[in-house]
Amino acid sequence: MSCPDQREMQIELERTTKLELEKWLMVEDSIMIQKSRVQWFNLGDSNTAFYHACVKNRQARNNIGRLTDSNGDIVQNPEEVKAEILNFYRGLLGSSATQLPMINYDIMKNGNVLSRSQQLQLIRPVGREEVKQALLGTYDNKAPGCDGYKSYFFKKTWHIVGEEITAAVQDFFESADMCKAINCTTITLIPKIQNPTNIRDFRHIS
């Protein structure tokens, strides 16, 4: 192989390596954005001391290291903390209903309350544009799914995945069946006060 050809291959390899490095740096930035939740971090202001301090501070606040149980005892073992949280919400939510409530006949006696046009509006099929506008109205970095994909990903790739997403949403409204993977969620506990010590000091979201 001649020297110019070898030099050209090295230049091409360097260019490819740089592109690969830029791609993985963007992936790392995306992960750090989700961890830090610093909303003004949009254009790659990475590797600053303040930025990483925000990440560490948020991780420390999100960690539940100890709790005070219903008896006033302090539990610190991870399994004991987990059991305290589960027991609290089991008692709060209770068990599933064994009997569903009957139709309220007093309301039925009132007859039609909505006009015919209002009734038709409630049962009309979900349109394709409605699905797209619902996605566009979601903040780019908010509420990633269990797979880690944020709404920004779907906005940017709508020309590729838009047809399948729209079909899945419309199918749900027609059949009332949803794939378990889509409906998967993670329960997160948000501190209500600065230094929470009791499970009641947390607000749960999904």
Side-chain angles (χ1 to χ4, degrees):
M1 183 181 295
S2 62
C3 188
D5 291 340
Q6 187 175 7
R7 188 180 303 111
E8 189 173 330
M9 287 182 60
Q10 290 176 343
I11 293 174
E12 179 63 23
L13 178 61
E14 182 179 356
R15 187 183 71 82
T16 306
T17 305
K18 284 184 176 179
L19 290 175
E20 188 73 11
L21 176 62
E22 289 178 4
K23 182 187 79 171
W24 288 110
L25 285 175
M26 289 178 62
V27 170
E28 183 184 22
D29 283 347
S30 178
I31 294 172
M32 297 299 281
I33 287 173
Q34 293 182 38
K35 288 183 178 180
S36 68
R37 289 301 183 95
V38 179
Q39 294 187 11
W40 47 260
F41 181 84
N42 289 323
L43 301 176
D45 183 19
S46 58
N47 294 324
T48 63
F50 175 73
Y51 172 66
H52 287 282
C54 289
V55 175
K56 291 180 180 179
N57 181 58
R58 186 172 185 86
Q59 289 175 339
R61 286 192 294 111
N62 288 342
N63 180 49
I64 304 176
R66 52 190 289 177
L67 283 176
T68 303
D69 62 16
S70 55
N71 298 324
D73 299 325
I74 296 177
V75 292
Q76 301 186 78
N77 183 286
E79 290 300 322
E80 293 177 344
V81 172
K82 177 182 175 181
E84 174 63 19
I85 294 173
L86 290 176
N87 290 335
F88 173 78
Y89 283 108
R90 283 196 183 104
L92 185 67
L93 298 175
S95 57
S96 58
T98 57
Q99 185 177 1
L100 296 177
M102 299 284 291
I103 296 175
N104 191 324
Y105 291 104
D106 292 333
I107 295 178
M108 295 292 291
K109 290 176 182 177
N110 294 332
N112 294 334
V113 178
L114 301 178
S115 65
R116 182 58 179 166
S117 62
Q118 290 173 325
Q119 294 173 4
L120 293 175
Q121 184 73 6
L122 288 175
I123 62 173
R124 69 179 177 82
V126 174
R128 301 171 61 84
E129 189 62 25
E130 284 183 280
V131 178
K132 183 177 181 180
Q133 290 303 318
L135 174 65
L136 294 178
T138 308
Y139 184 75
D140 288 348
N141 292 323
K142 287 289 186 181
C146 292
D147 56 7
Y149 289 111
K150 300 173 288 186
S151 58
Y152 182 75
F153 168 82
F154 295 103
K155 290 178 184 179
K156 286 297 183 180
T157 59
W158 187 255
H159 61 288
I160 300 173
V161 302
E163 290 291 334
E164 294 183 41
I165 293 176
T166 302
V169 173
Q170 290 178 324
D171 180 71
F172 164 72
F173 280 100
E174 291 174 5
S175 66
D177 292 329
M178 181 181 291
C179 176
K180 286 187 177 181
I182 297 177
N183 199 32
C184 178
T185 188
T186 301
I187 302 297
T188 304
L189 301 178
I190 306 298
K192 297 179 183 177
I193 60 177
Q194 187 66 28
N195 297 305
T197 58
N198 191 286
I199 186 60
R200 292 181 178 83
D201 296 333
F202 293 89
R203 179 178 69 254
H204 62 279
I205 63 171
S206 62

